[in-house]
């Protein structure tokens, strides 16, 4: 099958800051052989972008409806939900038995679904050293997203900060925003602490996500998987 169209023929589906992020983040993969999975592909424009940008990559897309766009043999599309564990496992077996190199979540931007994809893909189906990118995580700070809520005033205002200083050592929580995808990212931070603390969340016994680093950008969060762990389910069952 011949490649059809080009990124010049379509309206960009991702905002300019994200395009710049990907140009920087994935520059070393330009001519590499690797496997990229994107959750949420809408009209398929991003699949065309990945296809043209990475001529040696295998590109896999998942959406609730398969877009009507012609692709080459190395681009594969699946219909289904991002929280369908059996489907995600089948995609992994079909196209990345050694693990995906890049996973991009541009699907629902809802906390529960985002957490489910992360749970089902990160440990068992991402290669050591691979990157898992969650786009538009700021929806958790908005009233116009289904599970979001408008952010309150910053807890670093002088009055609030004074109260947190007063309560240090008393086991009192710092004020923070934990709705939607923003809450998922904060739970990931908790999980990153697990292997450091034997009494917390299993203490490195397979409960926590195997995250070696977490980078927060304006439109996306990048989780890098530890290169010293083997693929295994986050939890059994």
């Amino acid at each position: 099958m011949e490649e059809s169209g080009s990124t010049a023929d379509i309206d960009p589906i991702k905002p300019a800051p994200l395009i710049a992020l990907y140009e920087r983040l994935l520059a070393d993969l330009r001519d590499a052989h690797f496997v990229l999975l994107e959750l949420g592909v809408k009209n398929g424009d991003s699949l065309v972008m990945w296809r043209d940008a990475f001529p040696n990559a295998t590109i896999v897309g998942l959406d609730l409806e398969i877009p009507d766009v012609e692709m080459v043999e190395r681009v594969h599309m699946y219909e289904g939900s991002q929280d369908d564990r059996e489907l995600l496992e089948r995609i992994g077996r079909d196209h990345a038995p050694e693990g995906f190199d890049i996973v991009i979540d541009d699907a629902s931007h809802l906390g529960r679904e985002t957490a489910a994809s992360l749970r089902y893909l990160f440990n068992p189906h991402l290669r050591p050293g691979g990157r898992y990118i969650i786009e538009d995580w700021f929806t958790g700070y908005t009233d116009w997203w289904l599970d979001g809520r408008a952010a309150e005033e910053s807890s670093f205002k002088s009055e609030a900060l004074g109260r947190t200083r007063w309560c240090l050592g008393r086991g009192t929580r710092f004020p923070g925003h934990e709705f939607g995808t923003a809450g998922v990212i904060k739970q990931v931070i908790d999980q990153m602490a697990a292997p450091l603390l034997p009494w917390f969340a299993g203490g490195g016994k397979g409960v926590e996500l195997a995250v070696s680093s977490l980078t927060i950008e304006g439109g996306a969060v990048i989780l890098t998987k530890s290169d010293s762990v083997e693929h295994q389910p986050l939890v059994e069952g």
Side-chain angles (χ1 to χ4, degrees):
M1 184 183 299
E2 296 182 352
E3 297 196 4
S4 62
S6 69
T7 52
D9 301 327
I10 60 177
D11 294 327
I13 195 171
K14 297 184 186 296
L18 269 181
I19 297 296
L21 170 65
Y22 284 122
E23 287 179 343
R24 170 169 50 87
L25 187 67
L26 307 181
D28 59 329
L29 298 176
R30 179 71 68 182
D31 298 312
H33 294 265
F34 70 99
V35 187
L36 180 151
L37 169 64
E38 182 166 29
L39 308 174
V41 298
K42 200 174 180 180
N43 296 323
D45 294 349
S46 60
L47 296 181
V48 174
M49 179 178 67
W50 304 130
R51 179 201 71 189
D52 292 353
F54 305 105
N56 297 313
T58 297
I59 310 298
V60 186
L62 170 69
D63 208 289
L64 294 175
E65 295 183 7
I66 295 179
D68 183 17
V69 58
E70 186 179 2
M71 290 292 178
V72 294
E73 292 182 356
R74 60 187 178 85
V75 179
H76 310 272
M77 292 179 282
Y78 287 79
E79 185 172 284
S81 176
Q82 72 173 110
D83 61 353
D84 186 333
R85 181 176 185 175
E86 292 185 1
L87 177 58
L88 295 177
E89 290 179 346
R90 176 159 61 88
I91 294 173
R93 291 194 302 269
D94 289 349
H95 301 289
E98 299 300 319
F100 293 102
D101 298 88
I102 303 292
V103 175
I104 298 171
D105 183 351
D106 189 18
S108 70
H109 308 306
L110 297 171
R112 192 192 72 82
E113 286 82 356
T114 298
S117 300
L118 187 62
R119 177 186 183 89
Y120 299 150
L121 288 171
F122 195 89
N123 277 15
H125 294 292
L126 188 67
R127 290 177 62 90
R131 284 163 286 191
Y132 193 108
I133 301 157
I134 302 174
E135 294 187 4
D136 299 336
W137 66 289
F138 57 82
T139 55
Y141 292 95
T142 66
D143 275 335
W144 46 264
W145 209 254
L146 184 61
D147 64 348
R149 180 175 294 184
E152 298 177 359
E153 293 181 325
S154 171
S155 63
F156 285 93
K157 290 183 64 176
S158 58
E159 298 84 356
L161 189 57
R163 289 195 294 272
T164 57
R165 283 176 175 161
W166 176 83
C167 71
L168 286 179
R170 298 172 182 265
T172 303
R173 295 174 60 188
F174 279 75
H177 192 89
E178 299 179 347
F179 296 90
T181 47
V184 174
I185 301 307
K186 292 187 177 182
Q187 286 192 343
V188 172
I189 295 173
D190 291 342
Q191 289 296 301
M192 291 179 70
L196 307 177
L197 309 172
W199 59 89
F200 174 70
K205 297 180 181 179
V207 176
E208 77 287 346
L209 294 171
V211 180
S212 64
S213 68
L214 183 153
T215 303
I216 297 176
E217 300 278 351
V221 172
I222 302 100
L223 309 177
T224 301
K225 185 174 181 180
S226 171
D227 59 6
S228 61
V229 297
E230 297 180 356
H231 299 145
Q232 57 183 346
L234 185 63
V235 293
E236 296 296 333

